[in-house]
Amino acid sequence: PPDDMFGTADFMVQQGSTLCVMDLKYGKGVAVEAEGNPQLKYYALGALYALPDNSGIKYIKVGIVQPRAPGQKIKYAEYDVIELLEWSVELIERARVAVSGDLTVNAGSWCKFCPASGVCPAQAEKAIKTAQLAFSVEDLTETKVKAPDISTFTAQQLSTFLYNCDELESLITAARRAAQSMLEVNEAAVPGWVLGPTAGTRKWADTQKAASALEEQKLTEDEIWVKEVISPAKAEDAVSRKLKAAGAVKTLKEGKEVAKSLLKDNVVTESKGVKLIPCEAVSAESPTQQKNLFD
């Protein structure tokens, strides 16, 4: 490589002629895909080169384990060794560009993970261009920017604006984060803004004392205490542990599948509404999968 290249895969194992490389992601805000993921390919390539030449590896299986993200918790992608080695050519080319100093900064959805988010000129420029699709900004020093009446948008203008909302949201989030960091150091750093407490949730300072106080107000035990059935997820976990303890299954994973089957007639999935999805995100899915996007 043109410079030192390194990384840490969280789990690697050789199973016959297949090398399996897994990466743990603990974030819950953005679900990471395994298919085409360059980080996983990079780790797999490093793992492949770390093995002896006579290891007999012909296939690579990479995976993302993301337990806190919504939806599928483990995702896989598979490659053959030749495919991975061919991709390494592109990797080295990108590495040469990275160390050359002749770089172009591109703004995109990845900006939310960048430490320069909020102070990057390219990100700001793209966000301003996006904002100009909807906002009339005569003077950027104005305290308030007048928002347009969305009802005046044509269908095409609305579509274009929706496609660019991520850029605006990314910059807004970064701006708030930057302002908070500045105000934490100097309370007068951002004119017109101060740090204040977030909205809180009221709760009992001491549950037992609160219960005693309510008893003094002649409330019955049923009025004071709420008893409810545990969630389907907790129920499946509890049943799977019982099954394993009783020797009915060998592993908790197997027990959870059995528990899901046993309890499925008592479980329903309630949609909280619908959301906007770009057409290309739906077109590649089967009709059943398309329907599930809205379930």
Side-chain angles (χ1 to χ4, degrees):
D3 206 341
D4 289 341
M5 300 175 74
F6 61 92
T8 304
D10 294 311
F11 176 80
M12 300 183 296
V13 64
Q14 180 177 349
Q15 298 174 310
S17 60
T18 299
L19 175 64
C20 184
V21 179
M22 306 293 291
D23 186 50
L24 173 67
K25 302 289 186 189
Y26 204 58
K28 62 180 178 179
V30 178
V32 180
E33 299 300 324
E35 194 67 45
N37 188 310
Q39 182 188 16
L40 289 181
K41 290 183 181 180
Y42 175 74
Y43 284 175
L45 194 64
L48 184 64
Y49 280 123
L51 293 172
D53 292 338
N54 62 353
S55 60
I57 298 296
K58 295 180 180 179
Y59 306 101
I60 307 291
K61 185 175 184 179
V62 295
I64 291 286
V65 179
Q66 196 171 7
R68 300 176 72 217
Q72 192 174 348
K73 307 300 183 184
I74 304 178
K75 301 174 185 176
Y76 294 104
E78 296 186 16
Y79 309 96
D80 59 47
V81 169
I82 301 301
E83 189 178 2
L84 194 65
L85 293 176
E86 288 176 346
W87 176 81
S88 72
V89 176
E90 178 186 349
L91 172 67
I92 299 303
E93 288 176 354
R94 298 290 182 92
R96 287 197 178 100
V97 172
V99 299
S100 70
D102 184 19
L103 306 174
T104 301
V105 180
N106 294 307
S109 59
W110 49 86
C111 289
K112 68 180 69 177
F113 300 110
C114 179
S117 182
V119 296
C120 172
Q123 182 192 33
E125 181 182 0
K126 188 169 184 179
I128 288 172
K129 287 181 179 178
T130 301
Q132 287 173 344
L133 293 172
F135 297 96
S136 174
V137 186
E138 298 293 337
D139 184 353
L140 292 179
T141 62
E142 290 288 335
T143 303
K144 296 274 187 176
V145 177
K146 184 179 179 181
D149 181 356
I150 296 296
S151 66
T152 65
F153 278 28
T154 65
Q156 183 56 52
Q157 287 174 324
L158 183 60
S159 175
T160 302
F161 186 65
L162 286 170
Y163 268 112
N164 289 276
C165 278
D166 284 349
E167 301 298 333
L168 289 173
E169 290 169 350
S170 177
L171 186 67
I172 290 168
T173 299
R176 286 175 173 153
R177 186 168 58 241
Q180 181 170 333
S181 297
M182 293 169 65
L183 289 168
E184 285 172 349
V185 176
N186 178 2
E187 60 183 18
V190 183
W193 292 88
V194 296
L195 292 179
T198 58
T201 302
R202 297 197 311 154
K203 64 177 185 179
W204 297 116
D206 186 304
T207 305
Q208 293 300 327
K209 287 183 178 180
S212 297
L214 293 173
E215 287 173 358
E216 291 175 4
Q217 299 304 315
K218 308 303 181 183
L219 267 65
T220 66
E221 186 172 333
D222 287 342
E223 289 175 318
I224 297 172
W225 300 97
V226 176
K227 186 177 181 180
E228 60 183 20
V229 179
I230 58 177
S231 69
K234 289 184 177 179
E236 289 160 3
D237 183 64
V239 171
S240 67
R241 293 181 184 279
K242 289 281 187 182
L243 290 170
K244 186 173 184 298
V249 296
K250 293 182 179 179
T251 65
L252 287 177
K253 181 178 180 181
E254 182 186 352
K256 188 160 287 189
E257 292 303 316
V258 174
K260 282 184 179 180
S261 178
L262 292 171
L263 301 173
K264 65 180 181 180
D265 291 340
N266 299 292
V267 178
V268 294
T269 300
E270 294 183 352
S271 172
K272 295 182 179 179
V274 297
K275 63 179 180 179
L276 288 169
I277 302 173
C279 292
E280 59 266 26
V282 179
S283 59
E285 306 290 345
S286 69
T288 300
Q289 290 172 315
Q290 288 181 29
K291 180 178 182 298
N292 286 344
L293 289 173
F294 299 93
D295 284 346

